[in-house]
Structures are given as C-alpha cells and as structure tokens.
Amino acid sequence: MRRFLYAACLFSAIYPLKTYAQVGESDALRYSQDILGGTARFSAMGGAFAAVGGDMSTFGYNPAGIAVFTKNQIEFTPGIVIQSTTSNYNGTSTTSSANAATVQSVGFVATGKVRKKDKDDVGGWKSYNIGFAYNRMNNFNDNVTIQGVNSKSSFLDDITAQANGTNFNNLEPYKTGAAFNAYLLDTIAGSNGSQYYNVIAPYLNGGGGSILQTENILTTGSMGESDITFGGNYNDKLFIGATIGIVDVNYNLTNTYTEQARYNDATYGFNNYTYQQSLSTTGAGYNFKVGFIYRLMDWLRIGGAINSPTFFSMTDNYSTNWVANYTSSPYIPGGGQISTDAYGNILGSQNSYNYNLTTPLKAIAGAAVIINNQGILSADYEYVNYSSINMSSADPNLPVGYASSLNTAISQDFIQANNLRFGFEWQLYPVSFRAGYAIYGNPYNEGSVGFSSIRNTYSAGIGLKINNVALDFAYTLMQYSESTQLYSEANPATLKTNITNLIFTMAYTFDTPKHRAQHKERYYNTYPPPPPPPPVGY
C-alpha cells in the first residue's frame, strides 16, 4: 500500500491490505515535502536559492527572493513528469510507469522605487515588490505494479485473523464482512459463528498449492501552492520578504489487489478474487513564510527562512469492492462470479470523512558565492521534523480515539530529516549553464518501520536571454528506493523509483516606469528645442 498517505488518507489507513501501522509511510510525506515543481532555473540549480533570490519559485521557499527583482516580470512554466517504478516481490521483477503534462509555475512580480525627499539621499529603503505565483509542489500521477507467486500465505489469512472473535452478523463491511459474503470466509462449525477459515489456506504452506498475487496502485492528482508575496530592498544589502500561501490538494487512488489460484480447488471451486479500494481526497490549507537575504560582501550572500506548518482541512471519500470467481463449488453450483450479496448490494462499503492535518515547520539556511560577476555557487540546508505531523477530527464516522492512535504511530515511525541542496550557474551572455544536486534525508525511524529511504535529485539546465525575453530549460532526475509489504505475513517487496522532470520556462521583463520629469528630460535630449529667434533688426 505504498501510495497511501499515512496521515491524510485516514480510513484507508484503517482498512488497507495491511494495518495502518504498516502503511507505506513514504507517501505521508507528500503533503509536507516540496520536492517537485518550480521554474526551470530554480529546478536546474537543485532548488538551492535561499541566498540567491530573483526567481518566483522562491516565494514558497524563501520569500526574500522577491526583493532581488529590479524590474516587473511575468513567467510561465509548463513541464512533463515521467515516473517509472520497478518492484521486486518473491523473485519477480515488474516495471510500470506513468507520464503527465503539468503546469509547474506561473506568476508575476511588480516593483516600485522608494521616492526620496532629498535627491542626494542614496541610503535606506530603495525598492519594494509584490508578487503572485502558483508553484506545483507535488505530482501524484503514478502507476505501480507489484506481482509475485506465494506458496506460504494469503491476504485472506489477515482477513481471517481480523474476523475471528466477531459474530458474522457484526463483521465490518469494508473487508471482513465483504469477504464473508463472497464466500472467501466461512464460519467454523461449533464456534457459534465467531471463528473462521478461508478457502485458500488449506492449499498453502505445505498444502501443495500456490497463488499469484498482484497489486496495482494507480494514483492521479497534484498539490500546488498559490503565494502572495511582499518584499523590500534596504540599501542593496538586506532583502526581506513574507508570503501568505494557499495550498490546494487533489488526490485520487485506485488500488486493485488480486489473488489467483495456481492449483485445482476441488473442494471450494475457488479460482480468483479481486479486492479494490478507491480513495478521493480533496482539501485546502494555508501557511506563512518569512525570510531574508543579506549581502555580506559583493561576492557573498547569506539567507534564511522559516516556513510555518501548513494547516489543512481535508475530506476523504473511501470505498471498497470485492469480486470473487468460482468454478463449480458447493457455494455456486456450476461456477460463476460473486460481486453482490443476496440483496443485490455491491460487496464492500463507502463513506466520507472530514479531518484537519498539520504538516511540519521548516527552517532553511543558505549561502551563495558570486564568482567574477559571472557565476553563482549556492548551498542550502533545510531542517524538517516529520514526527510532528498531526491529525485531528471531530467526525463521528471515525472510530473513537483514532486521531490519537494515528498521531502516536506517526511520532514513532517518523523522525527529523536534514535536506541539502546545491546549485551552480555560469553566464556567458546571452547563454547560461546550470547544474544542481539535492539530497533529502531519511524521514523514517528505521527501528520502527524496518527500512529507510533517501532521495537524490540530479539536475542540469540551460538558459537564453535576449533583450527582455528569457527562455530556460531544465532536466531533473529523482531516484529513491523503498520497501513495503502487501499484508502482515507477506515478504517485503522492494521498490525503486525514477522521476524525470522536463521543465521549460518563458519569462518577459518589463522596464520599470520612469518619473515624468525623466521622460521629459529624455524627450528634450532626443529632440532638442528649436534655436531662439534672431535679434531685432538682424
């Protein structure tokens, strides 16, 4: 269940293939990690812009970057995301992929000069800027398939264990009740209807049979942030900024799990079953950011920013559906498919849940070295404590105590992470060459979840600036590995993911309007007044 959001997809965390404590925690970070999106220049330099500025992607990172702009500018950045994941489960390797066209960034900046009462006053505040930008923070489009043969256990073993001790009239509808109504579970004689067996167990773990297990996780959607940013330039030394961010979330998941018999079931006539989970999450949130950039020397700048937690209000719509197929059996003479109960109801259930989610605070620091007024070498450090992710809800449809138990699990399974970004740019006007590298530290408590995950991003790009037009291209490659389990008794599956981003930015710069007196002066310099008339009597 790698694609479930640990702290966001709430009910899916209660009723996935595995228990919520075993959910793939890596995707919990999708609401609190900003690792995709942005302009081509920002992406090509690894996102190391805490002390650089002058790019609209910094509005949601270090808002002091807006104060570096000296002219009005608009920009638009489309992109293409190509994601590929290779899974290995019980010796079987499977590769799957997903592609998506995106809008990575769009925005504008307006600049203004601070008027001085004394024209000889050259110190103090020099300019102020305001800007708006939309930056895509995460892309959820993905397609992952895990497949392998198992002769030792089945997901139905987990279902059986969860059902034991509960009368068949009181089984929950999402998994155990639906599996019972599909004849995948049945009561043990003499147990008063509260102890169960499943149709696959007798043929596994020494029973001479095996099953083909396949899980496909298809996700779509994205998360983006709209930033309203203000900034000021003090004496060309100190640049400050503040941002109000509005975040939108749209996440859709379809998880399809199948077990296919690789034996002849003469007792129950079982052939295969499919268990499908569907989840749609929508929500919105807000955050605040403040930052600074300070020019220590002409060749050295430092910067820093604090990004507040994002406070989300979320809604999950969750449903499950079971379909079982049999050959001739005691349950279905002549064989057939079971997808509804005796009353025509689809096996499974659906519901909607509302909750609030708070992501971690981030602290950012960086430095940039200016080389011969042609190059930039930058480095950033980011601290995030993912164990501080917090969920709350007053929704009566959620189990009592669910929020507190989930927050306890998050605090145990997540730790603080240290992220590093490095960037380089060299200008040979009108062409610029760029490269970058970023490493996102392990956010997991390995002693609790049993694995770690470090994400590496490599990037390169090129830019062309002619007069007021700038065209930039970037290529980024993110690579990481994870481990997951289909259910509690299954062997771990390894997942290796590559995410390629192709980004293209088009920007246009407007000259800052001059004062009217300056326009008049420029007019007379260009077109001098006619000579005075000749003297009288000439």
Side-chain angles (χ1 to χ4, degrees):
M1 299 310 299
R2 174 174 171 270
R3 297 295 148 187
F4 278 104
L5 301 177
Y6 192 108
C9 303
L10 297 178
F11 209 76
S12 63
I14 304 174
Y15 295 114
L17 296 185
K18 50 199 172 182
T19 63
Y20 78 83
Q22 299 167 317
V23 174
E25 292 91 341
S26 62
D27 286 323
L29 309 182
R30 288 187 181 270
Y31 286 168
S32 52
Q33 275 190 317
D34 307 339
I35 54 179
L36 295 174
T39 65
R41 184 177 180 229
F42 181 86
S43 301
M45 294 178 63
F49 266 72
V52 177
D55 190 281
M56 294 188 197
S57 297
T58 63
F59 296 1
Y61 186 58
N62 180 2
I66 193 175
V68 178
F69 283 91
T70 59
K71 296 182 178 181
N72 303 332
Q73 182 173 306
I74 60 172
E75 62 89 4
F76 175 67
T77 303
I80 298 175
V81 180
I82 304 170
Q83 186 151 344
S84 174
T85 300
T86 298
S87 66
N88 193 295
Y89 174 57
N90 288 348
T92 299
S93 180
T94 306
T95 299
S96 48
S97 62
N99 305 327
T102 64
V103 175
Q104 299 285 91
S105 177
V106 61
F108 71 88
V109 173
T111 65
K113 300 293 184 182
V114 176
R115 295 186 179 183
K116 304 289 186 179
K117 293 183 179 180
D118 184 351
K119 64 180 181 179
D120 295 325
D121 183 5
V122 296
W125 292 103
K126 289 184 171 292
S127 63
Y128 56 90
N129 298 346
I130 182 172
F132 170 84
Y134 171 85
N135 289 302
R136 176 158 296 203
M137 302 164 64
N138 280 310
N139 171 61
F140 296 140
N141 293 283
D142 200 3
N143 181 25
V144 177
T145 298
I146 304 171
Q147 188 174 73
V149 176
N150 195 333
S151 61
K152 295 183 179 179
S153 66
S154 162
F155 173 48
L156 292 183
D157 295 336
D158 272 16
I159 298 292
T160 304
Q162 294 170 26
N164 281 335
T166 302
N167 186 272
F168 67 88
N169 289 313
N170 299 318
L171 294 173
E172 55 81 15
Y174 288 90
K175 288 196 304 184
T176 56
F180 178 81
N181 290 335
Y183 303 124
L184 298 170
L185 301 186
D186 203 353
T187 55
I188 297 175
S191 67
N192 197 27
S194 60
Q195 296 295 316
Y196 302 84
Y197 67 92
N198 68 73
V199 297
I200 296 179
Y203 294 91
L204 302 183
N205 201 21
S210 63
I211 53 176
L212 177 65
Q213 299 172 318
T214 304
E215 181 181 17
N216 177 258
I217 309 106
L218 178 65
T219 59
T220 61
S222 64
M223 181 169 70
E225 182 172 288
S226 300
D227 294 318
I228 302 172
T229 304
F230 308 87
N233 170 2
Y234 185 83
N235 206 29
D236 289 330
K237 297 281 286 185
L238 175 64
F239 307 87
I240 62 172
T243 289
I244 301 172
I246 307 298
V247 184
D248 61 277
V249 173
N250 178 29
Y251 178 87
N252 301 286
L253 175 143
T254 301
N255 187 302
T256 305
Y257 179 79
T258 300
E259 291 191 339
Q260 172 76 48
R262 292 165 60 93
Y263 57 87
N264 182 23
D265 186 349
T267 304
Y268 307 108
F270 171 75
N271 183 269
N272 66 72
Y273 76 87
T274 298
Y275 169 48
Q276 186 174 86
Q277 300 174 94
S278 298
L279 174 70
S280 175
T281 299
T282 57
Y286 63 93
N287 58 48
F288 307 96
K289 305 178 181 71
V290 294
F292 78 94
I293 296 174
Y294 187 77
R295 191 175 68 178
L296 289 173
M297 289 170 274
D298 288 342
W299 58 272
L300 178 62
R301 295 178 180 180
I302 60 172
I306 295 294
N307 295 181
S308 80
T310 299
F311 305 94
F312 282 108
S313 178
M314 313 286 278
T315 298
D316 279 3
N317 291 291
Y318 176 75
S319 64
T320 64
N321 182 37
W322 291 73
V323 175
N325 288 284
Y326 295 86
T327 59
S328 182
S329 74
Y331 304 115
I332 308 180
Q337 183 181 92
I338 300 178
S339 58
T340 58
D341 62 19
Y343 302 98
N345 299 312
I346 294 175
L347 302 184
S349 190
Q350 61 183 356
N351 215 325
S352 179
Y353 309 92
N354 299 305
Y355 56 95
N356 298 315
L357 178 70
T358 303
T359 67
L361 176 144
K362 298 179 183 179
I364 303 166
V369 175
I370 312 301
I371 306 171
N372 196 33
N373 289 325
Q374 273 188 290
I376 299 175
L377 188 63
S378 58
D380 289 1
Y381 166 78
E382 179 181 77
Y383 173 83
V384 189
N385 184 3
Y386 293 108
S387 67
S388 66
I389 295 173
N390 184 269
M391 174 265 184
S392 63
S393 178
D395 194 322
N397 290 323
L398 286 169
V400 176
Y402 174 71
S404 60
S405 62
L406 181 59
N407 290 331
T408 298
I410 290 172
S411 66
Q412 293 173 348
D413 292 347
F414 288 162
I415 59 175
Q416 66 275 8
N418 302 297
N419 304 325
L420 297 173
R421 301 178 176 93
F422 303 93
F424 174 76
E425 180 180 61
W426 191 261
Q427 296 183 358
L428 296 173
Y429 191 84
V431 179
S432 299
F433 300 93
R434 305 175 182 115
Y437 170 71
I439 179 169
Y440 297 88
N442 172 44
Y444 304 123
N445 181 354
E446 190 171 0
S448 176
V449 303
F451 67 91
S452 63
S453 180
I454 295 177
R455 302 188 175 202
N456 294 279
T457 298
Y458 311 89
S459 56
I462 188 170
L464 175 65
K465 185 173 177 60
I466 302 176
N467 297 326
N468 290 9
V469 177
L471 304 175
D472 298 287
F473 173 78
Y475 167 89
T476 69
L477 173 64
M478 173 177 282
Q479 297 179 319
Y480 59 94
S481 297
E482 295 177 312
S483 178
T484 187
Q485 285 182 287
L486 301 183
Y487 53 92
S488 63
E489 297 301 320
N491 292 326
T494 59
L495 305 170
K496 295 183 178 180
T497 299
N498 292 330
I499 303 176
T500 298
N501 229 355
L502 305 177
I503 306 167
F504 182 69
T505 296
M506 298 165 284
Y508 185 82
T509 300
F510 299 86
D511 290 330
T512 304
K514 305 293 184 180
H515 191 269
R516 285 185 178 181
Q518 292 175 306
H519 282 292
K520 184 176 181 181
E521 179 182 354
R522 185 173 60 204
Y523 172 82
Y524 282 119
N525 287 338
T526 306
Y527 304 100
V536 176
Y538 176 77

